[in-house]
Amino acid sequence: MSTNERYINPIIPGFNPDPSICRVGSDYYLVTSTFQYFPGVPIYHSRDLVHWDQIGYCLTRESQLDLEGCKSSMGIYAPTLRYHEGRFYMITTNMNSYRNFFVWSEKPEGPWSDPIWLDWPGIDPSIFFDEDGRVYLSGTNELGSNEIPGIYQAEIDIATGNLLTKRQLVWGGTGAQAPEGPHLYRIEGMYYLLIAEGGTEYGHMVTIARSKSPNGPYESNPNNPILSHRSSNHAIQATGHADFVQKEDGSLWAVFLGIRPVSVPFVGRYHHLGRETFLAPVSWSIENWPVIDFRKETFEKMQLVQCLVESQQKTEIDEFDAKLLQLNWNFLRNPKAEDWSLEERPGWLTLHGSETSLNDIGSPAFIGRRQQHFRCVVSTLLNFQPAGEGEEAGLTVFMNERFHYEIAMTLDLYKRRKVILRRRIGSLWKIEHEVVIDYSTIVFGIEADPSNYRFFYSEPKGPTKYLGSGECSMLSTEVAGGFTGVYFGLYATGNGRACTVPAHFDWFSYKSE
Ligand code: 6LW
């Protein structure tokens, strides 16, 4: 692909922030942050920088990723992915314990090593392998301390994780808030330190400094930022937190995060799909500074207009007949083995609702996948015969434990089965509609457009009945806060006590328009 060819951005739609990328031969690998979700840090593969397939996760074991009690939007923050002499390294912070660590693997699809813990504060750790064999660790100031905000660096022994030199401030950025997300590169004999500033919201930007030595002093680019959509009416906002990759042809490309807000006229802008991964070419100024080329002229070439209508289309039907869960499913925090099974009823996903509900900072019986398209329809077939008070199973659109909507089956006071549509928005929650049913096998679905979710159900092969709707904006980051995006999830819960019966899901379908 050259800069003249068209491609669709975002290259990885849906909640996929803080991308970090590396190339090995003609293969590209990319990782993103995952916060309270498990497994952690998906690893994507591409041959052309545009089409990406997930090939695994870096953090698949509790020994690598302890999310016990993890608050939403804590857990795994911005990772960095690098390859050196036959090994992939992924370094990140687990904000649940506020500790930095790396894992390594010879195979990007995993399994990855146990964590090598670092005596290193701050967030957004990154590593750089220099040509002379030295390895540099960089990251932010220690949050909540008196350290001067900026990028700190030290040499590290990559075999042990021990620091070899004293941690020192190398660049404070251009003076905007939250200098973070550093990555160091050596390009034609110069060291370039790429960082994010301004915070990950609408003021986000990418800035750069350079030095003849990895230890500095660093000279700030007089034309910083090299990417920002702050104060613009660009359809893609909050662009920042970039990483560079060089193609085999020598051209430089950047991956970075951005958001696609939906405007509600005279009310505000809301994004509910989370921060997504974008791609743009990098050009060089005559003074040898890189510029991320995401201007209006290249906008057309990249079909960014189209991406606002939709991302790359997708139809996925999971019949739950494989031995392992498909890679796109995530749990909330560390799942309990007894809560879910693909074997109990072969060809079905079985969830054993526990006392933990979708309202808890815990691990309910839940599997979810990202909403990646504004316009899409998800549906599932559930077989469930709730027997006790509070037992419930269904389909949720989930931002976090305080912001979620669900269509579900439960019992009414007379122990009759009923379908409910519940919406929880912060401290407010309400069952908006309920309908008594006399069957126990039911299709639940959600139709999404950029502004609304419409909830429907049907008896298998029966007519579709709409139960109501809810605004997407109420599940957006602007309302719900945090760093994640919306998931569609299958779940079961006993709402305070364990369910006496399992919930069986025969299939799950995700169709973008
Ligand atoms: C991440 C920081 C950021 O650690 O948001 O956009 C934080 N940048 O670099 C969480 O994703």
Side-chain angles (χ1 to χ4, degrees):
M1 186 192 52
S2 77
T3 47
N4 294 325
E5 278 175 53
R6 289 171 157 250
Y7 62 96
I8 294 177
N9 254 325
I11 51 168
I12 310 185
F15 156 56
N16 274 291
D18 310 319
S20 177
I21 188 168
C22 70
R23 178 176 65 79
V24 183
S26 47
D27 295 289
Y28 299 95
Y29 300 94
L30 187 151
V31 292
T32 57
S33 333
T34 45
F35 304 92
Q36 73 271 30
Y37 288 95
F38 188 92
V41 188
I43 179 152
Y44 299 97
H45 170 256
S46 174
R47 279 279 168 89
D48 61 5
L49 286 176
V50 172
H51 301 92
W52 293 87
D53 289 312
Q54 193 183 343
I55 56 170
Y57 286 95
C58 298
L59 306 174
T60 52
R61 308 187 294 277
E62 211 169 319
S63 60
Q64 297 165 310
L65 179 54
D66 182 353
L67 294 170
E68 174 76 34
C70 179
K71 291 194 179 132
S72 290
S73 286
M74 299 302 272
I76 294 296
Y77 271 33
T80 295
L81 182 68
R82 293 293 180 257
Y83 176 81
H84 184 68
E85 292 183 348
R87 281 187 181 180
F88 291 86
Y89 296 85
M90 190 285 292
I91 183 166
T92 185
T93 316
N94 184 348
M95 285 300 283
N96 199 31
S97 49
Y98 195 4
R99 288 180 77 192
N100 288 297
F101 67 98
F102 68 85
V103 290
W104 62 267
S105 174
E106 278 152 19
K107 292 180 291 181
E109 67 275 18
W112 290 67
S113 73
D114 274 339
I116 290 112
W117 295 100
L118 304 172
D119 181 15
W120 184 256
I123 59 168
D124 300 354
S126 183
I127 37 176
F128 165 66
F129 293 90
D130 205 351
E131 288 167 13
D132 62 4
R134 290 174 206 264
V135 187
Y136 296 87
L137 169 64
S138 49
T140 71
N141 52 296
E142 180 173 1
L143 305 186
S145 80
N146 291 330
E147 262 187 357
I148 298 169
I151 305 306
Y152 289 73
Q153 194 175 284
E155 253 183 75
I156 182 180
D157 176 350
I158 201 67
T160 61
N162 293 335
L163 298 191
L164 300 174
T165 59
K166 215 170 149 260
R167 167 185 170 86
Q168 58 163 350
L169 177 65
V170 288
W171 191 37
T174 63
Q177 66 159 323
E180 59 190 13
H183 295 301
L184 185 61
Y185 314 90
R186 182 184 162 119
I187 304 173
E188 299 195 356
M190 282 299 266
Y191 293 87
Y192 287 87
L193 180 59
L194 183 73
I195 77 166
E197 290 187 68
T200 195
E201 299 84 16
Y202 288 85
H204 213 193
M205 52 185 167
V206 178
T207 58
I208 196 160
R210 71 184 173 196
S211 171
K212 289 192 181 119
S213 154
N215 300 314
Y218 278 90
E219 166 204 2
S220 177
N221 175 4
N223 289 317
N224 276 326
I226 62 168
L227 172 70
S228 183
H229 290 175
R230 61 190 174 158
S231 307
S232 77
N233 63 358
H234 206 293
I236 293 156
Q237 290 287 318
T239 49
H241 201 116
D243 194 8
F244 288 157
V245 67
Q246 193 169 30
K247 283 179 68 170
E248 283 174 294
D249 67 8
S251 62
L252 203 59
W253 292 74
V255 290
F256 51 90
L257 72 81
I259 61 171
R260 293 184 285 169
V262 177
S263 285
V264 181
F266 305 107
V267 178
R269 295 181 290 194
Y270 301 91
H271 73 285
H272 56 286
L273 300 192
R275 297 171 300 158
E276 309 177 280
T277 291
F278 291 80
L279 172 76
V282 176
S283 55
W284 288 88
S285 73
I286 37 173
E287 298 87 15
N288 271 327
W289 289 102
V291 183
I292 299 176
D293 205 356
F294 208 52
R295 295 163 307 177
K296 285 248 158 70
E297 308 91 83
T298 46
F299 194 88
E300 269 283 287
K301 286 182 198 153
M302 291 188 272
Q303 289 195 339
L304 289 169
V305 176
Q306 183 178 338
C307 91
L308 287 177
V309 183
E310 259 331 313
S311 352
Q312 292 173 16
Q313 290 188 354
K314 197 173 262 183
T315 296
E316 286 174 1
I317 297 173
D318 193 337
E319 301 275 3
F320 297 124
D321 46 15
K323 283 223 164 65
L324 297 174
L325 263 188
Q326 286 183 13
L327 282 175
N328 58 354
W329 291 112
N330 289 167
F331 300 98
L332 272 164
R333 306 178 183 85
N334 302 114
K336 295 187 214 92
E338 64 274 19
D339 281 359
W340 70 281
S341 169
L342 288 169
E343 284 160 15
E344 191 168 324
R345 185 186 283 186
W348 297 63
L349 168 79
T350 301
L351 293 181
H352 290 268
S354 67
E355 70 284 0
T356 310
S357 80
L358 296 176
N359 299 314
D360 295 322
I361 300 178
S363 187
F366 163 101
I367 66 165
R369 58 102 72 219
R370 292 162 177 79
Q371 181 181 354
Q372 297 184 288
H373 302 77
F374 286 116
R375 290 179 198 278
C376 58
V377 182
V378 294
S379 53
T380 188
L381 185 137
L382 167 70
N383 172 242
F384 185 48
Q385 293 177 302
E389 198 188 330
E391 297 186 12
E392 167 183 334
L395 179 62
T396 178
V397 50
F398 186 88
M399 181 53 152
N400 61 42
E401 65 278 356
R402 300 183 71 241
F403 294 84
H404 52 91
Y405 305 157
E406 46 273 343
I407 185 164
M409 195 205 293
T410 185
L411 293 179
D412 74 3
L413 285 178
Y414 309 101
K415 298 240 164 154
R416 294 177 303 186
R417 281 191 282 274
K418 64 176 179 180
V419 174
I420 58 166
L421 167 60
R422 184 197 293 117
R423 296 205 293 148
R424 173 160 185 193
I425 302 169
S427 58
L428 303 173
W429 69 267
K430 185 168 186 272
I431 291 178
E432 309 260 1
H433 301 283
E434 47 190 329
V435 181
V436 173
I437 52 167
D438 57 7
Y439 42 91
S440 57
T441 299
I442 190 166
V443 173
F444 282 141
I446 305 173
E447 277 175 19
D449 68 28
S451 313
N452 282 293
Y453 295 108
R454 284 180 85 198
F455 295 83
F456 63 88
Y457 70 98
S458 69
E459 201 172 348
K461 305 207 170 72
T464 296
K465 295 175 182 161
Y466 287 89
L467 201 55
S469 66
E471 307 93 317
C472 305
S473 59
M474 294 297 156
L475 303 184
S476 69
T477 301
E478 286 78 357
V479 174
F483 296 130
T484 60
V486 156
Y487 273 70
F488 293 118
L490 307 176
Y491 77 98
T493 175
N495 286 304
R497 60 183 119 168
C499 280
T500 55
V501 291
H504 302 286
F505 295 88
D506 191 12
W507 47 261
F508 175 84
S509 156
Y510 180 105
K511 286 188 182 148
S512 74
E513 243 176 40

